[in-house]
Amino acid sequence: MERTLSIIKPDGVSRGLIGEVIRRFEKNGIRIAAMKMIRLTRKQAQGFYAVHRERPFFDSLTQFMSSGPVVVMVLEGENVIEKNRTLMGATDPAKAAAGTIRRDFATEIEKNVVHGSDSPETAAFEIGYFFNRFEIVA
Ligand code: ATP
Ligand code: MG
C-alpha cells in the first residue's frame, strides 16, 4: 500500500471543484486517509515548493498557492503515486490527456487545479509537511 499527497489548489477550491476531484479519486479506487482545508502563508508555500526555488515561476507559484484556501489530502492505494499523476494529467493542461483533471478543468500551466507527489521520497516529505501521524487514518 502506497501513500501520496494531493492538493486541490486555490483555483480548484474557488471554482467549486472539490467534490469533482474527490469523486474521481474514489471512483478510481483511491482511499482518502486524511483531509483538511487550510490557507497557506506565503512562507509555507515557499517551504512546500522549495525544490522549485530557482525556477522563474517560483514567486508567482507561491503567491498563487497562498492566495486562497486549499484542500490537502493523503491518498492511499496500490501504486497511488502514479495513479494520481495519471488522473491529474500533464502539468500544462494543453498537453494533458483527454479525461484528466487538468485537461478537463485547468485554465493554464500555473493554475492547474491539483498537485500530486511525484515519487515516494517527495510523498514522504509532502505528507509530513501537512499531517502528523495521528491525523492519518489507517
Ligand atoms: P505539482 O508539483 O503541482 O503536482 P507538476 O509536478 O505537474 O505539478 P512541477 O514541475 O512540479 O509540476 O511544477 C509545480 C507547479 O508549478 C505546477 O503544478 C504549476 O502550478 C507550476 N508550474 C510549473 N511549470 C510552470 C511554468 N512553466 N510556468 C508557470 N507555472 C509553472
Ligand atoms: Mg511537482
Side-chain angles (χ1 to χ4, degrees):
M1 228 15 111
E2 196 174 68
R3 283 177 177 168
T4 192
L5 185 89
S6 167
I7 305 178
I8 305 176
K9 296 184 179 184
D11 59 326
V13 173
S14 68
R15 290 170 58 214
L17 296 171
I18 297 172
E20 174 63 24
V21 170
I22 291 175
R23 188 184 71 82
R24 290 181 183 218
F25 293 156
E26 292 186 328
K27 206 175 67 174
N28 285 279
I30 293 172
R31 196 178 80 82
I32 295 162
M35 174 163 63
K36 61 188 166 190
M37 180 184 275
I38 54 175
R39 177 156 179 179
L40 297 177
T41 64
R42 188 70 183 271
K43 275 208 155 58
Q44 288 168 334
Q46 288 167 339
F48 180 76
Y49 276 124
V51 288
H52 293 315
R53 65 187 171 275
E54 305 299 338
R55 304 277 205 99
F57 56 81
F58 182 71
D59 281 347
S60 172
L61 173 63
T62 54
Q63 160 67 35
F64 162 57
M65 288 299 288
S66 57
S67 68
V70 296
V71 173
V72 289
M73 287 173 272
V74 176
L75 306 181
E76 194 175 74
E78 216 165 283
N79 208 18
V80 73
I81 295 174
E82 196 190 318
K83 206 168 175 181
N84 180 42
R85 300 280 298 182
T86 303
L87 291 175
M88 287 163 50
T91 311
D92 182 353
K95 294 180 185 141
T100 60
I101 293 168
R102 284 166 167 171
R103 174 65 170 271
D104 289 349
F105 300 111
T107 51
E108 47 165 289
I109 190 165
E110 179 180 271
K111 295 179 178 60
N112 57 6
V113 184
V114 280
H115 162 85
S117 312
D118 59 11
S119 72
E121 293 70 34
T122 45
F125 166 76
E126 292 178 356
I127 290 169
Y129 198 79
F130 291 112
F131 295 97
N132 69 47
R133 76 185 78 170
F134 305 110
E135 295 173 309
I136 302 170
V137 183

